Amino acid sequence: MCGIFGYIGTKQDASTSILEGLKSLEYRGYDSWGIALQKSDGTVHITKHPGKIGDAKAPDIQSSIGIGHTRWATHGAISRENAHPHTDCTGDVVLVHNGIVENFDKLKTELEAKGHTFKSETDSEVIAHLIEEFLTSSQDLGNVMKQTKQAIDGMNAVIVLFPKHQTFYIIKNGSPIVIGKASDGYYIASGASAILPHTKEVYFLEDGESAKLTTDALTIFDKQGQEKQPTFISLPYDAQMATKGDYEYFMLKEIEEQPTVLQTISKSGYEDIQKAATLIKNAHETYLIGCGTASYAALAGTYLFSKIAKRHINHSIGSEFSYLVDFLTDKSLIIPLSQSGETIDTISAVDSAKQKNAQILAITNSIGSTLYRKADTNILLNAGPEKAVASTKAYTAKIAYLYLLAHEMNGSYDKGIDHLDTAIKAISTLIDNQNDIEQIVHGMKDSTSIFVLGRGLSYPAALESALKIKEVSYVHAEGFAAGELKHGVLALVAKGTPIILFNPHDETYEDTISAAYEVRARGGYVIGLSDTNHEAYDEFIHIPDCGDCTVIPNVVVAQLMGYYLALAKGFDPDKPRNLAKSVVVK
Ligand code: F6R
């Protein structure tokens, strides 16, 4: 969703850094963009465009202060007027905003009655006029920003440029804001990876905090408005990891990074896993929560813990969890799973659980993120920056952690590692032979529906696989428990409908073969994934037996299918329509 990038410092080419910063935030999803640059004569140059940045050049302006924004439309159409930055009536207040001002309607009516003229339909512009209004009774910017913070409802992050003072003020109550400290000044962004080319030293602004930045000073104010000493952390990866390198798309790069990511977990995940196992053992009950792909990892966790650790662990979709918290106590353990650590539905779920004093063990990929900061204990996935909208390596990393955690609780950690290592080899083979998958996908490119079937552990894997295929290729894809076929799904199977069938050699094998016969009898085209071929399959993809870890290479096949299907249909797999990487509004 919306992205913010700002710079204040000593170098004169803020324009280029801001444009590059916005480009590196493109993965969040946006539909218009804009930049404001303060010139040496004190005036501000603003450029705004509907659509993508594409080949646009940075404004040819010398400047050492500026803010940029990528907008994901909420209030008002995708247009130049509605793109950020927004200004007040005088031009003395220039701002970019992430979030939603929930009381904007009321504020706008009041401000219009006082003579303010609006140029856009956005809730964001209301903030600029509100600041202008407060400035009529006080020139103390800190005080004005405090009043502004109190006046706007909702989860918001706002950076305000006061050109007359060559100063930024930031208020934050929701959307993420990271401040990077470099030798040439301060960089501000809504995602840490955008700051990486400039510095690794970052401070994540907490909800309720605010900040004042000038060319050479940063002051952080706590929730009560008192100055506080910020503790900067060092990001654990470098700028190179957040670029495409030789790849055309992040999605393929991230798919191919999976063996390395999983190897790191296999080699050095034990300490974290032990810590988490103790928390689960001591808890009265445990809930795994997450949204989208992370919710399917949570569901997989329920199966893994039941099967391997002989322990029931509940799971819930993040946006549903706040309706399930009534029985939680201070003995409950909540495990939010999240790549970004910024998904608002997962964060709200955690907030509801915290109100019941439940313990939080966050499994995220983003050090310093909101979930990371809210948690009592953290496990970092260490998958490196994930920039394609469709989550791949963060998903398999989550499954690997949950799998090893279940084995640790069962006292069979070494067996878990053996299976994980076999799965890593299987993924490497799939990646080496990805042309075979590309070929199979060519036969599917005109299909209007694709179904993915599996039983047991392969059921959540089927759900995740269908999501991966549909979100990047826009082909209707659905995952089903194979046993549900005869309860309704069979009605959807027509001649030639591709059916991806996960059939590991476990307790589900024979029943899944029956499912293959059932769909074939109705004309379905069965693509079987298993360790041995079978006459019930029309197409066969060999996946070696990796025990309960077989679900990992199975999903990697679906990731590759989604990727190649998107390419075959002429879509950009990194930026699926209507979707954003970081879902920070409800
Ligand atoms: C799908 C996808 C989304 C995310 C979901 C949660 O490929 O990426 O479904 O998994 O929005 O995001 P995180 O993991 O950042 O909380």
Side-chain angles (χ1 to χ4, degrees):
M1 309 217 141
C2 305
I4 286 176
F5 194 92
Y7 170 74
I8 185 163
T10 51
K11 68 178 190 185
Q12 289 301 309
D13 62 345
S15 180
T16 312
S17 299
I18 293 170
L19 189 78
E20 289 308 314
L22 293 184
K23 280 187 186 164
S24 71
L25 291 168
E26 283 187 308
Y27 71 96
R28 295 169 67 87
Y30 73 110
D31 36 48
S32 58
W33 63 282
I35 296 177
L37 294 161
Q38 177 158 10
K39 298 197 269 187
S40 50
D41 63 3
T43 59
V44 177
H45 171 90
I46 297 181
T47 173
K48 311 207 271 187
H49 307 270
K52 304 283 184 199
I53 297 172
D55 296 331
K57 298 267 175 296
D60 186 14
I61 285 172
Q62 295 272 301
S63 168
S64 57
I65 307 177
I67 41 178
H69 188 267
T70 48
R71 173 175 186 252
W72 194 80
T74 55
H75 296 62
I78 302 163
S79 68
R80 189 191 169 279
E81 291 70 32
N82 290 334
H84 300 215
H86 291 289
T87 55
D88 67 335
C89 301
T90 63
D92 290 342
V93 180
V94 183
L95 62 78
V96 292
H97 163 232
N98 281 4
I100 290 174
V101 180
E102 285 168 5
N103 55 339
F104 95 100
D105 237 350
K106 179 172 168 286
L107 291 172
K108 189 168 179 176
T109 310
E110 287 168 5
L111 287 160
E112 278 174 334
K114 286 180 180 157
H116 293 264
T117 310
F118 284 80
K119 301 172 284 291
S120 77
E121 305 159 275
T122 63
D123 54 337
S124 313
E125 192 188 342
V126 168
I127 310 171
H129 294 277
L130 194 61
I131 295 172
E132 179 187 4
E133 190 58 33
F134 289 138
L135 279 170
T136 58
S137 44
S138 166
Q139 283 300 303
D140 176 344
L141 298 185
N143 192 29
V144 163
M145 291 309 293
K146 205 165 165 182
Q147 285 176 279
T148 308
K149 197 163 90 174
Q150 279 160 1
I152 57 173
D153 292 344
M155 304 174 97
N156 297 289
V158 189
I159 305 186
V160 188
L161 163 62
F162 292 102
K164 280 189 181 157
H165 304 263
Q166 301 198 4
T167 299
F168 282 152
Y169 263 90
I170 307 176
I171 50 177
K172 175 196 177 320
N173 184 27
S175 289
I177 288 287
V178 194
I179 301 172
K181 182 173 59 175
S183 55
D184 57 5
Y186 296 99
Y187 294 82
I188 305 150
S190 31
S193 60
I195 288 184
L196 262 182
H198 308 284
T199 178
K200 285 188 180 187
E201 300 307 304
V202 295
Y203 177 71
F204 289 85
L205 210 58
E206 296 283 349
D207 280 351
E209 288 185 351
S210 48
K212 175 187 175 191
L213 290 103
T214 57
T215 312
D216 51 10
L218 163 70
T219 318
I220 303 286
F221 302 95
D222 67 14
K223 289 178 189 154
Q224 284 71 43
Q226 301 301 315
E227 265 187 58
K228 81 170 234 193
Q229 207 48 44
T231 311
F232 280 79
I233 57 167
S234 191
L235 293 171
Y237 42 83
D238 54 41
Q240 190 55 31
M241 290 166 79
T243 64
K244 279 188 214 160
D246 292 337
Y247 287 85
E248 199 176 348
Y249 294 106
F250 277 113
M251 187 174 177
L252 188 61
K253 175 177 182 254
E254 289 161 9
I255 290 173
E256 293 197 2
E257 281 170 353
Q258 291 177 110
T260 312
V261 170
L262 298 178
Q263 252 150 21
T264 308
I265 296 171
S266 166
K267 288 202 171 64
S268 43
Y270 188 58
E271 216 175 288
D272 278 341
I273 284 162
Q274 252 188 331
K275 181 172 73 180
T278 307
L279 287 173
I280 297 175
K281 279 178 193 157
N282 293 339
H284 278 190
E285 66 275 318
T286 302
Y287 250 111
L288 288 159
I289 53 174
C291 298
T293 286
S295 79
Y296 298 141
L299 177 60
T302 296
Y303 280 86
L304 287 166
F305 281 102
S306 168
K307 188 172 175 192
I308 301 167
K310 320 290 176 221
R311 181 142 187 149
H312 177 63
I313 292 195
N314 255 315
H315 71 94
S316 171
I317 293 169
S319 56
E320 285 298 311
F321 188 66
S322 48
Y323 313 115
L324 290 168
V325 293
D326 294 307
F327 72 96
L328 295 184
T329 68
D330 58 359
K331 304 278 184 306
S332 310
L333 176 69
I334 308 304
I335 309 183
L337 302 170
S338 174
Q339 190 288 127
S340 61
E342 300 294 353
T343 302
I344 198 69
D345 288 328
T346 310
I347 293 169
S348 303
V350 164
D351 286 341
S352 321
K354 276 173 88 100
Q355 276 169 16
K356 297 277 184 174
N357 297 318
Q359 287 289 300
I360 312 295
L361 160 66
I363 304 186
T364 69
N365 195 34
S366 306
I367 189 168
S369 61
T370 304
L371 277 173
Y372 181 92
R373 296 196 311 274
K374 282 183 187 273
D376 302 294
T377 313
N378 274 289
I379 290 186
L380 274 174
L381 295 170
N382 284 321
E386 192 184 69
K387 300 197 90 173
V389 165
S391 187
T392 52
K393 58 180 178 170
Y395 169 79
T396 47
K398 284 171 201 156
I399 299 293
Y401 265 111
L402 294 171
Y403 178 70
L404 292 177
L405 189 46
H407 270 291
E408 171 63 10
M409 293 188 63
N410 181 45
S412 53
Y413 191 76
D414 290 345
K415 184 173 168 197
I417 289 287
D418 283 350
H419 285 160
L420 181 58
D421 289 346
T422 313
I424 294 170
K425 284 194 196 100
I427 297 170
S428 298
T429 308
L430 287 170
I431 289 170
D432 289 346
N433 300 323
Q434 57 189 277
N435 287 352
D436 298 346
I437 294 172
E438 191 182 357
Q439 286 308 314
I440 293 174
V441 159
H442 270 282
M444 292 156 73
K445 87 176 189 301
D446 299 321
S447 306
T448 48
S449 277
I450 296 170
F451 300 116
V452 192
L453 301 181
R455 279 176 170 261
L457 263 172
S458 298
Y459 166 51
L463 295 176
E464 166 57 10
S465 297
L467 175 62
K468 217 73 323 161
I469 291 170
K470 75 181 124 186
E471 69 183 325
V472 294
S473 72
Y474 316 151
V475 177
H476 168 238
E478 276 193 71
F480 291 109
E484 282 294 287
L485 269 180
K486 52 212 173 288
H487 301 294
V489 186
L490 269 181
L492 297 170
V493 177
K495 188 163 174 8
T497 305
I499 312 284
I500 299 163
L501 192 87
F502 290 161
N503 203 9
H505 237 116
D506 59 15
E507 67 284 4
T508 65
Y509 186 83
E510 293 302 337
D511 286 338
T512 308
I513 287 288
S514 307
Y517 281 122
E518 281 165 17
V519 285
R520 265 191 87 168
R522 274 90 191 167
Y525 185 80
V526 179
I527 303 158
L529 275 67
S530 193
D531 60 345
T532 35
N533 202 346
H534 193 282
E535 58 156 20
Y537 310 145
D538 296 287
E539 198 89 56
F540 171 61
I541 299 178
H542 178 253
I543 306 290
D545 183 7
C546 321
D548 293 327
C549 251
T550 312
V551 287
I552 299 183
N554 280 352
V555 171
V556 172
V557 171
Q559 295 171 350
L560 286 165
M561 282 180 163
Y563 172 78
Y564 281 112
L565 206 48
L567 293 190
K569 295 177 85 73
F571 302 130
D572 176 347
D574 281 353
K575 295 176 198 142
R577 66 184 179 206
N578 306 336
L579 297 179
K581 182 70 179 163
S582 227
V583 187
V584 295
V585 295
K586 278 197 179 183

